[in-house]
Amino acid sequence: MALGPGARTWLNRIGAFLGLAGLVFVGMRLHSYAGEIDFRRIGLGGYVAIAALACLYGVSNLLLAVGWRRLLVHLGVSASRSWAIRAYATSQLAKYVPGNIFQFAGRQAIGVAAGIGNRPLAKSTAYELAILIVGGALFSPLLLSLIVADTPDWLGWVCFAAVVAGALWLASNRGVDFGVAAICYLAFLAFSGLVFAGAYNLAGGSVGPALYPAIAGAYVLAWLAGLVTPGAPAGIGVREAVLLFLLGGLSSGSVILLAVVIGRMVTVLGDLLFFAGGLIVGRLHGITSQRN
């Protein structure tokens, strides 16, 4: 797709503007969360744990960028790993802008500016959403022990492993790149759930390790509900309500709400770290290209 220098410049500016808008909303969200937490209850160890969880979540975002790049390759588009990381990281913060679509619009603009056609970019977004929606639903069996009384924990794990194996087999039939993309997205969802399980533990949720998969599964389903709800920036409000419903039998509402707030802070800080990392990767790639 041939674009003049002026068009490329404006498209890059649009993508950067949406990323900046997301950055502003992230700052506002962090400020509101800070007012909801009694920081006196969190000791030094708690702060270290929150920082560690934020770093883990930030790094896990690389799986999204790699998965998106694999989808582009599946669609016949050649894109470097460093460019995909920078483009994804720059646009990802726009998910916090009310509307819940601007991260996709920003990525579309950045991709077109790089010379990629609108059609493959739009198809990659459609594929990504389909994989995330189906992948999120696959975590449902992990909630069996929370929904059905006296259900052994291992039954949910076995059912989860079976449906995931079947889904990955179907995805791999569409091609190696599509299958690898599906693995990346599912791995991201799993990491996100485990990060929330860590936040739940920090909030005082006293459950055994055997219930962590169920808590992770509840988070993924709550995240999915937020994803498919139109107009909810980053699923704000929807995710919290679903978690209160699914985890209500494990802990008091105050513990769940504190876990949600800590989890939100972790994900927002993680997204900021991913954004900063993407800028660094883009800068290093630019320096390397100039030297060559």
Side-chain angles (χ1 to χ4, degrees), residues 30-107:
L30 276 175
H31 183 266
S32 66
Y33 290 154
E36 298 176 32
I37 295 180
D38 183 3
F39 288 98
R40 292 171 296 183
R41 293 178 54 188
I42 303 176
L44 178 60
Y47 287 117
V48 172
I50 289 175
L53 289 174
C55 289
L56 178 61
Y57 181 79
V59 171
S60 72
N61 274 266
L62 289 170
L63 292 166
L64 293 174
V66 173
W68 178 57
R69 175 178 175 267
R70 286 286 190 162
L71 289 178
L72 288 175
V73 174
H74 172 73
L75 293 168
V77 176
S78 177
S80 68
R81 187 176 302 169
S82 59
W83 177 85
I85 292 172
R86 181 187 66 82
Y88 209 101
T90 302
S91 60
Q92 188 70 344
L93 282 183
K95 68 184 181 181
Y96 291 98
V97 178
N100 209 18
I101 61 169
F102 293 103
Q103 67 271 33
F104 305 120
R107 205 183 313 158

Side-chain angles (χ1 to χ4, degrees), residues 29 33 222 226 229 232-244 260 264:
R29 188 55 53 185
Y33 290 154
T229 300
I236 292 173
V238 178
R239 190 183 305 175
E240 288 79 354
V242 175
L243 281 170
L244 280 170
V260 166
R264 276 291 184 180

Side-chain angles (χ1 to χ4, degrees), residues 171-194:
S172 65
N173 287 338
R174 296 184 62 89
V176 174
D177 290 306
F178 194 92
V180 172
I183 292 173
C184 288
Y185 287 118
L186 282 173
F188 168 77
L189 293 176
F191 272 114
S192 299
L194 291 175

Side-chain angles (χ1 to χ4, degrees), residues 140-151 214 221 245-246:
S140 300
L142 293 176
L143 274 69
L144 281 175
S145 60
L146 298 181
I147 298 173
V148 183
D150 300 324
T151 301
L221 287 181
F245 172 75
L246 293 176

